[in-house]
Amino acid sequence: MPWFQTPAISGYWGYHWTENRFNPDIIVDPETGRRQIASHFYPTIGPYDSADPAVIRYHLGLMEYAGISGLIIDWYGFRDINDYGQIHRSVELLISILESEFPSLEFAIMYESRTIQSLIDLGIIAPNEAVQEAQSVMLRLEREWFGSNNYAKLNGEPLLMTFGDPPEVFQPSEWPLIFSVLNVHPAFFTQNRRNAQANARGGYGWVYPTLDIANSEEIVRNTLELFYGEWNPQPDALTIGPAFPGFFDIYETSYGFVDSQWADGPTFQQTLQMALANSTAGIVQLVTWNDFEEGTVIEPTLEFGYGYLDMVKAFVESQKPKKP
């Protein structure tokens, strides 16, 4: 999530540290210097700015250390509305540093297509211009990033994901038209339920919070089994499995909860194992690097230290062929 801002870099505390009701200028623990932020968890380096080159290098270095192959970048398009323009500029800087200094890492785009609805709501485009707007986004993605040596490919096709179950802004049948302007069709993945009408190669899973906290482990396990099984009616649709450390959001109205510890051990470790066993696309998605508001954080925090990265590192090492 490249959506954080601080006064030192951007001149202000961004929404994702404040949610308009937290004040990071308030020190809640003078001994540690901990600030009031919109999260139950606290980054080891403190609240940071996604446009800070030092932070970017720190994050990418940690990913290399843990054996992570690359980044799926949450991205809101090129338009300079809301905070989308700031996010885009942070993404440009992130990709530039990755390409020049971390050549072993790949990146792919998670496109928040619902941002087109924001353009409609603001009167910037008309509803009947939504497909044309999405086509222009795809063309620019192809021109600027799809051809990068670091862009993640699946069978030679650039990996592209969209957040949310179709349809949100677009009907599934509109996605083929959106992609029709491209020279190379992307390896397109939608959330949860795969849909052939959307020209999707398959689907990716997510964290599945529940308000039934007492039975959260059973409910989440059952939901993952549905994702890996019954939600995929197409035998040739590929699956990207999610591995997540839990879910503990800070929203005024919570989406629910997933405990970080299940009966047989850490939730993250167990969902990693499930994803490895069921990810037919050959990709395991770590959910997430740094969504502090939802508490799905694997980057180092005061609460968990480097624990989650060490789990990833051990997991990656365990999959390497044994030397004779």
Side-chain angles (χ1 to χ4, degrees):
M1 279 65 185
W3 58 24
F4 298 105
Q5 295 86 34
T6 65
I9 300 295
S10 298
Y12 62 98
W13 289 109
Y15 175 81
H16 295 282
W17 290 131
T18 72
E19 287 219 342
N20 294 333
R21 60 192 180 93
F22 296 91
N23 183 359
D25 286 327
I26 296 175
I27 305 297
V28 296
D29 185 350
E31 190 171 318
T32 63
R34 185 174 185 139
R35 297 176 180 272
Q36 183 188 92
I37 61 171
S39 176
H40 295 291
F41 305 110
Y42 202 80
T44 299
I45 60 171
Y48 52 77
D49 198 303
S50 298
D52 185 343
V55 169
I56 292 172
R57 292 184 175 97
Y58 163 75
H59 281 165
L60 296 179
L62 287 175
M63 291 177 194
E64 277 196 332
Y65 156 80
I68 294 170
S69 303
L71 299 71
I72 299 169
I73 304 171
D74 196 43
W75 180 72
Y76 290 72
F78 297 98
R79 294 274 197 168
D80 202 355
I81 63 167
N82 301 329
D83 61 350
Y84 306 163
Q86 179 63 49
I87 291 173
H88 174 64
R89 289 185 286 274
S90 294
V91 171
E92 286 186 310
L93 179 61
L94 168 62
I95 292 173
S96 173
I97 292 174
L98 183 150
E99 290 176 325
S100 62
E101 300 179 32
F102 296 85
S104 66
L105 291 176
E106 298 181 323
F107 72 95
I109 293 296
M110 173 77 75
Y111 177 43
E112 297 272 0
S113 58
R114 58 196 167 94
T115 58
I116 288 183
Q117 187 62 51
S118 298
L119 298 176
I120 295 171
D121 294 342
L122 291 169
I124 296 172
I125 65 171
N128 63 357
E129 296 174 314
V131 168
Q132 182 181 352
E133 176 72 16
Q135 288 176 329
S136 69
V137 170
M138 291 300 120
L139 285 168
R140 191 162 169 184
L141 279 174
E142 182 175 64
R143 183 171 68 249
E144 297 193 9
W145 291 335
F146 283 173
S148 170
N149 290 332
N150 295 86
Y151 199 93
K153 309 289 196 307
L154 192 64
N155 297 324
E157 298 174 339
L159 176 64
L160 177 67
M161 304 161 83
T162 186
F163 194 79
D165 283 332
E168 280 203 345
V169 178
F170 301 108
Q171 295 294 322
S173 58
E174 290 180 298
W175 282 103
L177 180 59
I178 292 168
F179 295 139
S180 67
V181 297
L182 299 178
N183 292 314
V184 177
H185 191 291
F188 184 51
F189 282 76
T190 59
Q191 188 180 347
N192 294 336
R193 299 166 182 82
R194 278 70 82 189
N195 196 312
Q197 284 183 294
N199 269 24
R201 294 290 183 267
Y204 66 91
W206 201 243
V207 59
Y208 300 106
T210 173
L211 294 172
D212 186 354
I213 294 175
N215 299 300
S216 67
E217 178 180 346
E218 180 182 1
I219 291 169
V220 176
R221 282 186 180 277
N222 289 343
T223 306
L224 281 170
E225 289 173 3
L226 286 171
F227 165 69
Y228 289 125
E230 294 178 25
W231 287 359
N232 185 8
Q234 301 157 233
D236 59 342
L238 299 176
T239 299
I240 296 176
F244 44 84
F247 187 96
F248 188 19
D249 68 23
I250 198 84
Y251 302 136
E252 288 188 277
T253 302
S254 176
Y255 284 104
F257 182 76
V258 177
D259 201 315
S260 63
Q261 192 78 11
W262 283 353
D264 296 329
T267 303
F268 188 53
Q269 199 166 51
Q270 294 183 68
T271 53
L272 271 172
Q273 292 166 351
M274 291 179 74
L276 178 67
N278 293 282
S279 295
T280 57
I283 300 169
V284 172
Q285 183 180 7
L286 307 178
V287 182
T288 62
W289 179 260
N290 62 340
D291 193 333
F292 280 91
E293 290 154 291
E294 297 192 348
T296 57
V297 183
I298 68 166
E299 78 158 286
T301 60
L302 295 185
E303 293 75 17
F304 293 100
Y306 285 77
Y308 291 129
L309 296 191
D310 288 338
M311 286 183 199
V312 174
K313 188 175 180 65
F315 181 78
V316 171
E317 290 294 327
S318 72
Q319 303 309 308
K320 292 181 179 178
K322 302 296 182 184
K323 292 183 180 180

